[in-house]
Amino acid sequence: MIGRGFWVCKARLGKRGNRPGVVPLLGGVIACAALLALLFVDFIELWVTSMSMNTVVEPHAGIIPPQSVPPTRPEEFLLMPSPLVCQRAKPYLVTMVTSAPANQRARQAIRDTWGGEVEVKGLRVMTLFMVGVASDPGLAKLLIEEAREKGDLVQGRFLDSYSNLTLKTLSMLGWARRFCPQAHFMAKVDDDVLFNPSALLHFLNKSRNPYEQGDLYLGRVHLHVAPDRDPESKHYLPSGAYPHSVFPDYCSGTAYVLSRSALLKISLAASASPLSTPLPPEDVFVGLCARAAGVLPSHCPLFSGGPAVPYGRCCYQAMVSIHHIPPREMLQYWADVNSSPPCSWLSIRASLGMCKVRAMLGSDLGLEQGL
Ligand SMILES: *[C@@H]1O[C@H](CO)[C@@H](O)[C@H](O)[C@H]1NC(C)=O
Ligand SMILES: *[C@@H]1O[C@H](CO)[C@@H](O)[C@H](O)[C@H]1NC(C)=O
């Protein structure tokens, strides 16, 4: 469908001689502009988001001396792979999946699809799961067995509950800081996210700035979000815990990526900052620590953030992260995305535009799939 529109555009604009009326000409121009916008919707999104981002780093930011923060101790983790796991695997990217003890099926789907230890174009990627303490003794036993069998669980010393997610992130940052200095990048991903390490590595490789040395805090950036002051809400944050009217810009917690230097700065800021009660949501907390450390978030349109993205093979091939994927769909989509040859440039542009527009509209417009 897109291909046909493209040629119609060309034919219309290319026609000379008999002058077309103003109205059809205008219609043609609008149609072509819409088509171009569809093909480059991610660039438009990046431009619009970057325009409204706060790019001012506060002068007092980033002055936490590393010596002032106690080192991460192995006793903080009840279960973990060998402390030498990163020394052995030498991952370029370590992906930490935050998971609840009961979500065994989600973890297995990830191991069977994008997880595990893999090599992408010569770069090693390792995926580990971050859990807390299960309140149910039966579940706690199952976790110990799972850790022994799979060797990919890291368990922090805190009760695993929704309101303790921020403690999970603190624990994850501490673990990666201490036990995985080999990784150039760390990704934090939720266990209902279809993550695509090769799309991420491709994006990082293609980006003009070599982030390997500098700070990178990459994901879907949320702008000017106000704290939730509704006491009934599960994200309730009273003004005693956070007095300002908006949060600093932060990356959606569904999936974000930190370079080694950003990880160190954010993790040090996190350990140095007093923890409020209740804690801010996990992603806001990371955003606050990043702000304190002088690290600015970067927006990448290939991270889906909250809204569901309708399935399209070429779209999913290009996206770095897609949220709200149950285990069964994860297996199905991953197999389909990887079964056939890579999509062409035009099919990726068209499919990406289509699924982004559909995700924005939040409804099925009945447009063609499978581009
Ligand atoms: C969070 O974890 C701490 C430490 O394990 C525990 O004392 C606390 O009850 C947990 N909070 C919730 C709401 O589960
Ligand atoms: C990075 O880009 C170079 C040159 O464009 C290419 O040769 C290399 O395979 C790429 N690496 C990855 C991991 O995509």
Side-chain angles (χ1 to χ4, degrees):
M1 193 198 87
I2 293 287
R4 213 181 320 131
F6 188 68
W7 296 121
V8 169
C9 259
K10 234 186 138 179
R12 282 230 175 168
L13 292 182
K15 216 190 275 175
R16 281 176 205 176
N18 55 338
R19 277 185 212 163
V22 174
V23 174
L25 186 66
L26 203 62
V29 168
I30 291 173
C32 295
L35 187 61
L36 280 176
L38 182 71
L39 290 181
F40 297 100
V41 72
D42 48 335
F43 290 91
I44 298 170
E45 179 194 314
L46 180 61
W47 180 69
V48 171
T49 311
S50 307
M51 289 289 282
S52 20
M53 256 158 70
N54 180 359
T55 51
V56 181
V57 177
E58 278 161 41
H60 63 270
I63 46 163
I64 302 148
Q67 313 82 281
S68 68
V69 175
T72 313
R73 291 165 304 137
E75 307 86 83
E76 288 168 35
F77 303 98
L78 297 163
L79 297 170
M80 65 179 224
S82 148
L84 303 180
V85 67
C86 283
Q87 205 171 329
R88 171 186 61 74
K90 296 191 180 52
Y92 180 76
L93 166 71
V94 63
T95 308
M96 307 290 291
V97 181
T98 46
S99 186
N103 295 358
Q104 284 120 337
R105 279 188 60 226
R107 289 194 288 278
Q108 196 51 44
I110 290 173
R111 291 186 190 107
D112 292 341
T113 54
W114 55 267
E117 269 181 51
V118 292
E119 203 169 294
V120 180
K121 293 207 187 100
L123 301 174
R124 287 148 174 265
V125 180
M126 184 174 71
T127 302
L128 299 173
F129 297 94
M130 190 77 219
V131 294
V133 174
S135 47
D136 175 68
L139 208 48
K141 223 164 168 190
L142 283 177
L143 269 187
I144 296 175
E145 272 168 34
E146 187 180 334
R148 193 179 307 139
E149 197 183 317
K150 311 288 183 185
D152 58 4
L153 295 190
V154 180
Q155 185 182 42
R157 206 178 270 277
F158 57 88
L159 187 67
D160 199 302
S161 66
Y162 188 81
S163 44
N164 264 349
L165 268 184
T166 303
L167 295 184
K168 194 175 278 184
T169 293
L170 255 178
S171 185
M172 168 191 83
L173 293 172
W175 189 88
R177 189 178 82 206
R178 160 90 198 259
F179 294 105
C180 212
Q182 289 80 4
H184 290 82
F185 296 97
M186 186 207 78
K188 180 270 177 180
V189 180
D190 282 346
D191 67 1
D192 59 348
V193 165
L194 181 59
F195 186 67
N196 189 345
S198 94
L200 172 66
L201 295 178
H202 182 72
F203 175 85
L204 292 174
N205 195 25
K206 191 160 62 65
S207 311
R208 259 170 298 141
N209 313 350
Y211 290 119
E212 268 180 46
Q213 307 303 327
D215 292 337
L216 177 71
Y217 168 33
L218 182 80
R220 166 154 298 263
V221 176
H222 289 319
L223 303 164
H224 321 303
V225 177
D228 195 335
R229 305 291 196 207
D230 173 9
E232 304 290 300
S233 159
K234 67 177 179 179
H235 293 302
Y236 172 55
L237 203 61
S239 48
Y242 185 79
H244 308 287
S245 59
V246 286
F247 294 127
D249 302 338
Y250 64 93
C251 291
S252 158
T254 53
Y256 54 84
V257 175
L258 300 174
S259 65
R260 180 72 194 161
S261 75
L263 167 75
L264 288 177
K265 288 181 188 172
I266 292 176
S267 150
L268 291 177
S271 334
S273 71
L275 299 178
S276 68
T277 332
L279 284 161
E282 179 271 327
D283 41 12
V284 170
F285 176 76
V286 172
L288 288 167
C289 296
R291 157 67 73 89
V295 176
L296 289 172
S298 306
H299 182 76
C300 174
L302 301 178
F303 288 67
S304 86
V309 176
Y311 183 71
R313 193 175 73 85
C314 297
C315 169
Y316 273 45
Q317 215 169 70
M319 292 288 285
V320 171
S321 81
I322 301 153
H323 191 208
H324 295 306
I325 309 287
R328 213 160 56 97
E329 275 77 3
M330 197 175 287
L331 294 165
Q332 199 182 321
Y333 292 162
W334 186 256
D336 188 45
V337 161
N338 291 286
S339 64
S340 350
C343 297
S344 68
W345 179 85
L346 189 61
S347 3
I348 286 187
R349 302 306 325 156
S351 183
L352 205 56
M354 209 80 104
C355 70
K356 279 202 158 280
V357 168
R358 289 177 62 193
M360 278 177 220
L361 296 178
S363 63
D364 196 330
L365 297 179
L367 294 172
E368 274 178 56
Q369 274 207 14
L371 272 159

